Amino acid sequence: MSEASTEDKIQEEQEASAVQELVPGLQRNLEEEVVRGFIANIFIYPVVLLYFVCTFAYVTRKVVPYEFIDEKFHINQTLTYLKGHWLQWDPKITTPPGLYILGYVNHRLLRTFIKSWSSLTILRLVNLFGGLVYFPIVVLRPLFLFNAISFWPIALICFPLMSTYYYLYYTDVWSTIFIIQSLSVALTMPLGMKYSIWLSAALGGISCLFRQTNIVWCGFIMLVTVERQAIVHKQFNTHSMNNYLKLFIHSVDEFKTLVFPYFLNFVGFFLYLIWNRSITLGDKSNHTAGIHVMQLLYCFAFLAVFSLPLWFSKNFLRMYRDRFQNKQIQMILEILFIMLMIRYFTKVHPFLLADNRHYTFYLFKRLMNHNRRLIKYGLMAPIYHFCTFVYLEILRPSEMVFDPIIPLPIKDPIQLPVQLTHISWTALILCTIATVVPSPLFEPRYYILPYYFWRLFITCSAEPIWGEVLPALPDEKPVTISSTKRLFLEFCWFWVIDLFTLLVFIRYAFPWQTEQFLQRIIW
């Protein structure tokens, strides 16, 4: 065989390995999708960067060159640290001092080079840099290299609930960055298993200095870390209960290596609870934990709307319709149960109806808690039901499956796909419940982490937005479908929402009797 024919054969084998046959006559070219994703991110990222930098400059200088809503607490506490008063604490602040320490370092560094800028602008740069540089390059890029057909970093940094706070000095951006980086390190193992797990645990612990409830997600990351090792070393199969047992045994056998680094975070959190006598730091009277079951349905509704480009299709809508036709009684009972939840488990926090500077004020008053029962129950209950269906079903095709007999051909956990099993999928739902349900205040910021932990494990669908795809006949060339369009639409969808909310923020201003400056609307 000639050298040229050998090279041609090797090339054909490589092309074949990059093509995934879905059904006879229908395929995906994964290599082509990956290349498109990388090219799109490389060319669009500078545009996104320029957009946020320019709008940041305009918002900071022209729109709100003053402390906005909770910024007055965060700014003043950071300035207190800059004056050297490290033991002085504002009792109105409910989160730990992570942001203020980071702001202190940033202010000391930048003030040396930029003396003309205000402290407010310098401190707001903390979140702008974190969301636009650190988050996509340091946190999301390693995951993108592992799972390039599932998400685009340029889209995730534009997630509206997150990107809103690039303009302000709030805790949400870096709280999210550190806990997602903890997950990223646990999945990609850049320093080898031992040191990567310690780094992941350390990053999770640091994230709790920005938001206490991140301890819940530290538990989820620990479970995913142990699970991915147990999948390979204990050989998971289709027996669900056996897999739970294997996971537990592996966590005991490898406690020192896999569990102990994260366990230290739980010990630290327990000592914090004993010292503080509550999970809330500072103003406990207005931030008491409780049981607010409707928060979960609010969360599912937000996630369904933001993920619209990922799930919307004729086939997905038909799947929901078929479920209703095949399980009519069950579906009716589920919707009736949601109506009961709306009736008996809706909590109205005083801040919600008293603060018209948030979209939740208008959504809750004019839609979710409308005076007309037809809207409050007849419309919203089916919407919540459908959104719950979206949340569960969009993740189902991405669940890792096992063979009942044949062991996995993978010998190293690092080679596992970025997917959840039935165990970690259940843990994701439980962690989402533990994060949002105890909060009495309807606050979309609380849905940022449930969204990211959900979204990063979703393998984007390749079916068309609308219409049907018919497989090619046996004697025809296979039809190739791709998820590139959906991923691009996800980015566009986020950017459209970002533009809309920014225009509302800039153009719609109103006075408050208790505030010196004009107020505006944010998430």
Side-chain angles (χ1 to χ4, degrees):
M1 184 181 294
S2 65
E3 183 177 345
S5 60
T6 302
E7 292 179 354
D8 292 339
K9 184 177 181 180
I10 293 174
Q11 184 176 356
E12 291 176 0
E13 291 177 353
Q14 290 176 344
E15 291 177 354
S17 64
V19 175
Q20 179 186 44
E21 185 180 43
L22 305 176
V23 295
L26 192 64
Q27 65 183 16
R28 290 181 67 175
N29 191 325
L30 302 182
E31 183 178 352
E32 188 176 275
E33 290 183 42
V34 169
V35 171
R36 287 177 180 173
F38 273 92
I39 293 175
N41 276 267
I42 290 172
F43 281 96
I44 297 177
Y45 177 66
V47 179
V48 173
L49 199 64
L50 182 63
Y51 164 78
F52 278 109
V53 169
C54 292
T55 54
F56 174 86
Y58 181 76
V59 167
T60 299
R61 295 174 60 185
K62 301 292 184 181
V63 183
V64 282
Y66 49 84
E67 298 167 358
F68 185 70
I69 310 185
D70 289 348
E71 274 192 314
K72 59 185 177 182
F73 303 113
H74 303 314
I75 295 290
N76 290 339
Q77 186 61 45
T78 307
L79 294 178
T80 299
Y81 283 177
L82 285 167
K83 294 174 184 176
H85 304 312
W86 290 94
L87 299 180
Q88 186 176 332
W89 184 260
D90 186 345
K92 288 293 184 181
I93 295 175
T94 60
T95 52
L99 177 67
Y100 319 129
I101 297 171
L102 191 62
Y104 172 89
V105 174
N106 176 73
H107 194 280
R108 290 296 188 197
L109 291 174
L110 291 186
R111 182 57 82 188
T112 306
F113 306 101
I114 309 173
K115 299 185 181 296
S116 61
W117 289 13
S118 67
S119 294
L120 176 63
T121 301
I122 291 176
L123 292 178
R124 283 177 175 174
L125 283 172
V126 170
N127 285 341
L128 185 72
F129 172 81
L132 296 182
V133 180
Y134 192 91
F135 191 41
I137 295 176
V138 180
V139 179
L140 294 177
R141 185 184 61 85
L143 277 176
F144 182 57
L145 295 176
F146 264 62
N147 203 19
I149 63 170
S150 293
F151 74 92
W152 286 359
I154 55 167
L156 296 195
I157 65 174
C158 293
F159 178 53
L161 296 184
M162 175 82 156
S163 59
T164 294
Y165 299 100
Y166 296 164
Y167 304 99
L168 303 172
Y169 190 59
Y170 274 56
T171 61
D172 304 88
V173 173
W174 281 96
S175 163
T176 301
I177 286 173
F178 280 124
I179 195 65
I180 297 299
Q181 188 176 13
S182 175
L183 174 68
S184 176
V185 170
L187 293 174
T188 60
M189 297 286 176
L191 304 178
M193 187 181 74
K194 179 180 177 181
Y195 294 109
S196 294
I197 290 175
W198 275 101
L199 177 59
S200 172
L203 290 166
I206 292 172
S207 77
C208 294
L209 297 177
F210 292 78
R211 184 62 59 82
Q212 302 95 310
T213 52
N214 281 9
I215 193 66
V216 174
W217 297 108
C218 286
F220 175 77
I221 295 168
M222 180 188 72
L223 183 139
V224 169
T225 302
V226 177
E227 180 187 63
R228 291 174 71 83
Q229 298 289 326
I231 288 172
V232 174
H233 297 298
K234 298 297 183 184
Q235 287 299 320
F236 275 24
N237 51 37
T238 54
H239 302 288
S240 299
M241 295 310 299
N242 282 349
N243 292 340
Y244 277 100
L245 183 60
K246 290 175 180 179
L247 177 67
F248 175 74
I249 293 173
H250 195 69
S251 65
V252 174
D253 292 343
E254 302 294 332
F255 179 85
K256 185 177 180 181
T257 304
L258 300 178
V259 178
F260 183 71
Y262 299 100
F263 181 74
L264 292 178
N265 288 336
F266 304 132
V267 172
F269 184 75
F270 180 72
L271 294 175
Y272 160 77
L273 290 179
I274 294 176
W275 169 75
N276 191 53
R277 299 182 180 179
S278 171
I279 191 173
T280 302
L281 192 67
D283 186 13
K284 299 179 177 63
S285 60
N286 290 313
H287 297 85
T288 55
I291 304 296
H292 190 188
V293 181
M294 285 302 298
Q295 280 276 27
L296 187 63
L297 297 181
Y298 299 156
C299 179
F300 289 165
F302 269 80
L303 266 57
V305 171
F306 285 124
S307 62
L308 181 68
L310 299 182
W311 57 262
F312 185 81
S313 70
K314 183 183 290 186
N315 287 333
F316 192 87
L317 297 176
R318 184 186 294 127
M319 185 167 58
Y320 184 75
R321 183 201 65 188
D322 293 343
R323 186 177 188 273
F324 185 82
Q325 291 177 344
N326 298 330
K327 300 179 180 180
Q328 291 185 6
I329 296 177
Q330 180 180 333
M331 292 271 280
I332 292 172
L333 290 176
E334 290 170 353
I335 293 175
L336 289 174
F337 179 72
I338 291 176
M339 290 181 179
L340 290 175
M341 290 174 62
I342 296 173
R343 174 64 180 84
Y344 293 104
F345 292 97
T346 298
K347 290 192 175 184
V348 184
H349 195 282
F351 288 176
L352 177 59
L353 298 182
D355 196 340
N356 63 343
R357 295 171 297 182
H358 299 281
Y359 285 102
T360 49
F361 172 87
Y362 304 97
L363 287 172
F364 190 79
K365 187 176 181 179
R366 299 179 182 178
L367 186 63
M368 296 176 171
N369 199 42
H370 200 280
N371 293 329
R372 293 186 180 180
R373 295 181 179 179
L374 182 63
I375 295 178
K376 183 177 180 180
Y377 298 103
L379 175 64
M380 294 311 302
I383 288 177
Y384 291 140
H385 186 273
F386 177 75
C387 292
T388 304
F389 177 82
V390 169
Y391 178 85
L392 297 175
E393 291 302 322
I394 199 174
L395 193 58
R396 197 179 301 278
S398 302
E399 182 182 342
M400 200 180 302
V401 295
F402 306 100
D403 191 272
I405 301 174
I406 302 174
L408 282 174
I410 296 173
K411 301 301 180 183
D412 188 346
I414 197 68
Q415 298 175 349
L416 288 171
V418 182
Q419 293 178 332
L420 300 178
T421 70
H422 59 284
I423 299 176
S424 47
W425 188 19
T426 304
L428 175 64
I429 297 173
L430 292 177
C431 288
T432 301
I433 293 172
T435 302
V436 302
V437 168
S439 174
L441 181 61
F442 175 27
E443 179 69 75
R445 287 188 294 160
Y446 301 154
Y447 311 149
I448 294 176
L449 288 182
Y451 165 78
Y452 277 118
F453 278 95
W454 176 70
R455 177 64 186 90
L456 288 171
F457 288 101
I458 292 173
T459 301
C460 185
S461 171
E463 67 178 2
I465 300 294
W466 199 254
E468 302 285 348
V469 173
L470 298 177
L473 298 175
D475 57 341
E476 296 177 340
K477 183 180 180 180
V479 176
T480 302
I481 58 176
S482 168
S483 64
T484 304
K485 182 182 292 186
R486 284 186 178 272
L487 293 171
F488 178 70
L489 287 175
E490 180 185 32
F491 163 73
C492 294
W493 179 235
F494 287 167
W495 209 353
V496 166
I497 298 174
D498 285 337
L499 283 171
F500 172 79
T501 53
L502 181 64
L503 287 174
V504 171
F505 186 77
I506 292 173
R507 298 181 65 86
Y508 187 61
F510 46 89
W512 259 39
Q513 291 182 351
T514 58
E515 295 291 339
Q516 179 182 359
F517 302 103
L518 290 175
Q519 300 300 293
R520 301 172 187 277
I521 299 176
I522 63 168
W523 284 109

